[in-house]
Amino acid sequence: MSVLGSIGARTVRSLLLGALGLAFGAGIVAPAALAQQGSPRNIPQVASANSNFSTLVSALTEAELVEPLSADGPFTVFAPTNDAFGKIDSGTLESLLKPENRQKLTSILTYHVVPGRVTAADALRARTARTLSGQTLTFSFSDGRLKVNDSVITSIDIPASNGVIHVIDTVLMPPMDNAPSGDAATPGPAAARDLIDRAIRLGAPLFNEGQAEACVAVYAIAARGIIGLGSDNLPAAVVTELRESLDAANREKNASERAWILRRGLDRASEMLAETPMTRGNKRH
């Protein structure tokens, strides 16, 4: 048994709090302060209430991720500050926030979200976590600093009604070898089918593990990403199908039913895309 496993999560958390000293950056609100700000706030609301996350909020809005991340979850978000986004070349960041690059932006942002409520102690004990993008984050603790990949976590365990937020000092970039293929990066049926395939590969196991809300978020993100490709690049029937599925899911209160509604919509959209000229001959077996 590892040292972390033997001393228990509560002790690990206490050690982390002491070692990190809750090193909040300028203007970052401490967890205790957030908890005292009235009614519980979901993750996007917590981020919106803090000016240090304004770039993140703009990015979530542009990627149409605010609504999925407002669901019950729970979710864990590794939230880059404005300074973290400032480390990205201004031209690159401006490009990412353009509507035509929504799919790439969504891939980056979902790489910052883990299904479930993962505290700092949980992260260290697990060492890795699978994100909503389907890729893996790695956690480490050295020299008094907790890190996710190469980014330092400057504040931990900030509570939200639907999960937890950890503040990071560098934007996490998905590994190139796990990034979508060239076809998936090109607007059109191939890109849409790639999004559907990846969403189902990630969402179905979440559903089977009892994380229906996380599955809903994955499917909704994929559907919105495909809609974002636009009717000019896709059959209009596909866009209509996914919009209707999202609307129907929003009217349903039961998370499992919402997941099935979205899954059926994605399956029907995939069937339509398989019959388009651009993907004929490239159907799934």
Side-chain angles (χ1 to χ4, degrees):
M1 179 180 294
S2 68
V3 174
L4 288 173
S6 64
I7 62 180
R10 181 173 297 179
T11 303
V12 171
R13 186 174 188 277
S14 297
L15 290 172
L16 278 173
L17 291 173
L20 291 172
L22 284 179
F24 294 96
I28 298 293
V29 181
L34 284 169
Q36 296 171 4
Q37 290 182 356
S39 60
R41 300 182 180 190
N42 60 40
I43 287 170
Q45 289 171 335
V46 171
S48 296
N50 192 310
S51 60
N52 280 279
F53 296 129
S54 60
T55 305
L56 173 62
V57 171
S58 295
L60 291 173
T61 302
E62 181 59 44
E64 296 188 346
L65 293 177
V66 172
E67 184 175 333
L69 292 179
S70 298
D72 290 345
F75 307 108
T76 299
V77 172
F78 296 89
T81 61
N82 293 345
D83 288 342
F85 278 102
K87 295 179 181 180
I88 301 176
D89 174 78
S90 59
T92 300
L93 181 58
E94 183 178 347
S95 176
L96 281 173
L97 294 175
K98 291 181 178 179
E100 59 266 29
N101 293 322
R102 181 175 295 163
Q103 185 182 348
K104 185 175 182 179
L105 178 63
T106 299
S107 296
I108 293 173
L109 292 175
T110 53
Y111 187 55
H112 291 71
V113 184
V114 173
R117 192 184 302 269
V118 181
T119 65
D122 294 333
L124 268 183
R125 284 187 290 116
R127 296 292 183 181
T128 62
R130 191 170 179 82
T131 68
L132 284 186
S133 70
Q135 297 156 304
T136 300
L137 297 175
T138 302
F139 305 102
S140 60
F141 186 70
S142 61
D143 299 325
R145 300 192 303 176
L146 178 62
K147 299 179 73 175
V148 52
N149 292 359
D150 293 325
S151 178
V152 175
I153 302 177
T154 59
S155 301
I156 63 172
D157 298 346
I158 296 175
S161 62
N162 64 338
V164 63
I165 298 171
H166 306 293
V167 182
I168 58 176
D169 71 349
T170 305
V171 176
L172 304 171
M173 291 297 179
M176 292 303 296
D177 57 351
N178 287 328
S181 65
D183 286 342
T186 304
R193 293 192 69 206
D194 180 80
L195 278 173
I196 292 172
D197 287 343
R198 288 191 291 132
I200 291 173
R201 286 199 303 270
L202 179 59
L206 289 172
F207 185 90
N208 293 334
E209 293 167 3
Q211 298 187 58
E213 283 286 358
C215 177
V216 169
V218 171
Y219 290 166
I221 288 167
R224 293 181 186 281
I226 293 167
I227 291 170
L229 295 176
S231 300
D232 292 342
N233 300 305
L234 297 172
V238 169
V239 175
T240 299
E241 172 65 40
L242 293 177
R243 288 192 186 280
E244 291 178 349
S245 296
L246 286 168
D247 289 342
N250 287 336
R251 293 192 297 270
E252 174 60 52
K253 294 183 178 180
N254 182 273
S256 294
E257 287 301 318
R258 291 204 303 275
W260 276 115
I261 289 170
L262 292 173
R263 173 61 188 269
R264 286 191 289 268
L266 291 171
D267 285 342
R268 286 192 292 266
S270 184
E271 291 171 2
M272 295 177 197
L273 290 165
E275 297 304 321
T276 61
M278 289 182 67
T279 56
R280 199 183 303 276
N282 189 34
K283 297 181 182 180
R284 289 174 292 181
H285 296 291

